Amino acid sequence: MSPTIVHAVVLFDGNNTHSDATVTFDPASGNITSVSTSSNGQFPEGATIIDGSGHTLIPGLIDSHIHVFAIHLPAGEDESEILRSPLRCGVTTLCDMHSDPPTVRQRWQAIADDLEQARKSNSTVSLSDLKSCLYGATIEGGWPKPIVLGHNPSNELKAFVETWPKVTVENAPDFVKNHKANGANYIKLMQENCCSLALPTDSIPVATLEMQTAVVKAAHAEDLPVVAHALSADMTEVVLKAGADGLTHTFVDQPPPQNIIDLYKQTQAFVIPTLAVLSSLTNEMQDWRDEFTEIARKKGLVNDFALQTMKESLAMKDSAAKLEYAFETIKKLRQEGIDVVAGTDSSAGLKGTGLGPSLWMEMLLYVEKCGMSVTEVLRSATALPAKRFGFDDRGVIAEGKRADLVLVKGNVTEDLRALWEGEGIVTVWKQGLKAA
């Protein structure tokens, strides 16, 4: 395979913007071989040359909170779309935040086969890359049992939930060691008392601070980052005190209390806001869901079932919960220098979400509702998640890093909407190979 050279392009390298850059990458190795912040017009013979004039090159996007299971899909729906639709949207890496290990292993194998076939036949790739915590550190009867079982669970689904881990203080080290041995990239805590939801508060068992601290201690001993689910301020307090490295949601039950802001500053934990799913939970921003559903339809990004799902809403909040509280919290955390990492909590069939397009909506919400600049938002979906999760091979455009790249018509560093408006994304490469 000959090298590919994109020149005369606006480059956002994951941290900074350069107005006239040249990037060379090798599809055979899958890596970037050189980055220059100027164009010299002299290229090696046999290289594939792409004139990037009028375009922006950015690192492949990372959605730091999704699920790759298919439990919300009706029988017969195409599970391969779980990994296909994000890649069409420039999302080259997905971070799964609780799925059964057999499903994750199946997805990993599909990704490996897709890459091998593309290299053998000099063709295109079609699946995003995947990181996973495998199962979260669930407790007997605890979260996310109520949302997975729903109103009318099948016996099969009940049996599936019974296979989840039943983590305790005593078995936390074994839980972590087994997960690491099975390929987990990080560990996830579940901290939920349902006070933000249309469910009675404390209607399910709630993990203790002692248990969560034990899991964090065990994970850090194995050099694994720890992230945590929490939808309320009091549950956020527990996992921050336990030492979690990041939160996989922000809370919607109240405005940001100063003690929570102080805990974030003290621990330097990051936050994955997941505003896309929170807006579905609180049944707000319907016009935004409609808009991005129409964008996805026009561009052929997702299938018909996903289009219908994207327009719907979970609508299962407690009466006091408001999305505005999430906006306020992210504004305050950002002002205090806390890292905001982009993620959506999308999964196939989950109302109000679409794997791929929801990340675009998420990112635009950061700009329009949380006061973040476009470059901050681009960083939140590229360099920052790579740094905070320890994905040292991606997230930035630099020599030696993976050639996970997205070429966009227009200057996306000035207007985020360039990702989807007009021609939008022109080409996606994963490990130097064009995406289908």
Side-chain angles (χ1 to χ4, degrees):
M1 295 180 180
S2 60
T4 300
I5 300 171
V6 183
H7 71 102
V9 73
V10 174
L11 172 66
F12 175 75
D13 64 13
N15 290 298
N16 301 300
T17 302
H18 310 277
S19 60
D20 182 17
T22 301
V23 176
T24 304
F25 56 94
D26 177 16
S29 69
N31 292 332
I32 296 165
T33 55
S34 70
V35 178
S36 171
T37 53
S38 64
S39 292
N40 60 26
Q42 297 179 354
F43 308 117
E45 188 176 345
T48 299
I49 310 299
I50 297 172
D51 184 353
S53 302
H55 294 72
T56 311
L57 190 69
I58 64 174
L61 301 175
I62 300 172
D63 188 334
S64 292
H65 188 159
I66 61 95
H67 298 272
V68 291
F69 51 48
I71 58 176
H72 299 305
L73 282 180
E77 280 294 330
D78 183 5
E79 290 188 27
S80 72
E81 282 297 296
I82 292 170
L83 299 176
R84 288 180 191 277
S85 60
L87 195 60
R88 299 184 190 116
C89 300
V91 184
T92 54
T93 301
L94 302 165
C95 295
D96 172 64
M97 288 294 173
H98 176 74
S99 292
D100 60 290
T103 293
V104 175
R105 284 193 291 270
Q106 182 184 30
R107 306 282 187 247
W108 280 338
Q109 187 60 55
I111 292 164
D113 292 345
D114 180 55
L115 187 63
E116 181 182 14
Q117 180 59 34
R119 292 206 188 285
K120 279 184 177 178
S121 59
N122 197 21
S123 60
T124 56
V125 289
S126 59
L127 306 179
S128 294
D129 199 25
L130 177 65
K131 304 289 188 177
S132 181
C133 66
L134 305 178
Y135 278 131
T138 51
I139 64 172
E140 177 77 59
W143 188 261
K145 181 178 179 179
I147 197 166
V148 169
L149 291 182
H151 300 297
N152 187 28
S154 65
N155 289 333
E156 182 181 12
L157 201 53
K158 289 177 183 176
F160 169 66
V161 168
E162 280 303 308
T163 67
W164 292 357
K166 298 171 178 62
V167 181
T168 64
V169 172
E170 293 74 23
N171 69 20
D174 287 339
F175 166 80
V176 170
K177 285 178 182 176
N178 289 337
H179 267 46
K180 184 174 182 178
N182 285 311
N185 303 106
Y186 40 85
I187 299 296
K188 185 181 181 189
L189 310 179
M190 299 293 191
Q191 191 67 38
E192 182 59 67
N193 64 0
C194 299
C195 76
S196 295
L197 306 170
L199 297 165
T201 300
D202 294 327
S203 57
I204 60 173
V206 180
T208 64
L209 174 59
E210 182 186 17
M211 194 214 86
Q212 303 292 38
T213 303
V215 177
V216 172
K217 182 179 178 181
H220 286 171
E222 297 289 340
D223 294 321
L224 289 173
V226 181
V227 292
H229 164 102
L231 290 173
S232 60
D234 59 347
M235 295 291 96
T236 299
E237 181 178 7
V238 171
V239 290
L240 286 173
K241 286 182 173 178
D245 300 292
L247 273 290
T248 62
H249 300 282
T250 192
F251 48 87
V252 291
D253 63 315
Q254 60 181 285
Q258 190 58 45
N259 73 303
I260 297 298
I261 302 300
D262 291 343
L263 269 173
Y264 266 105
K265 289 166 65 179
Q266 177 187 326
T267 62
Q268 285 299 298
F270 63 89
V271 61
I272 305 170
T274 65
L275 301 179
V277 83
L278 294 180
S279 71
S280 175
L281 175 73
T282 63
N283 198 21
E284 299 173 79
M285 314 299 290
Q286 184 60 51
D287 55 336
W288 282 59
R289 281 191 292 281
D290 290 345
E291 177 185 351
F292 280 91
T293 301
E294 183 61 14
I295 291 166
R297 185 192 67 79
K298 285 182 176 178
K299 290 184 172 289
L301 300 173
V302 300
N303 61 22
D304 288 344
F305 176 77
L307 288 173
Q308 182 58 42
T309 301
M310 285 179 65
K311 289 177 69 72
E312 296 174 351
S313 173
L314 287 167
M316 57 175 296
K317 76 177 184 72
D318 178 78
S319 59
K322 293 181 182 177
L323 188 62
E324 182 60 36
Y325 297 150
F327 298 155
E328 289 178 29
T329 301
I330 299 307
K331 285 177 186 175
K332 278 202 170 184
L333 291 176
R334 171 184 167 269
Q335 289 165 2
E336 295 293 345
I338 300 304
D339 287 340
V340 177
V341 172
T344 63
D345 198 12
S346 298
S347 63
L350 183 65
K351 291 181 178 180
T353 71
L355 285 154
S358 283
L359 186 61
W360 294 350
M361 174 176 161
E362 182 84 16
M363 294 166 72
L364 189 61
L365 284 168
Y366 298 166
V367 173
E368 298 208 351
K369 301 297 183 180
C370 302
M372 293 173 65
S373 70
V374 174
T375 52
E376 279 182 284
V377 172
L378 290 171
R379 197 174 297 123
S380 80
T382 55
L384 261 184
K387 176 184 175 183
R388 296 306 303 253
F389 281 100
F391 305 154
D392 296 332
D393 61 344
R394 68 194 72 197
V396 295
I397 298 176
E399 185 177 338
K401 302 298 185 181
R402 280 171 57 123
D404 291 354
L405 305 165
V406 181
L407 187 64
V408 184
K409 179 71 172 178
N411 192 335
V412 73
T413 68
E414 294 179 352
D415 185 0
L416 189 67
R417 290 175 181 81
L419 277 171
W420 58 83
E421 288 187 350
E423 197 170 346
I425 291 175
V426 176
T427 310
V428 178
W429 293 272
K430 194 186 87 166
Q431 289 188 257
L433 299 172
K434 266 190 178 184

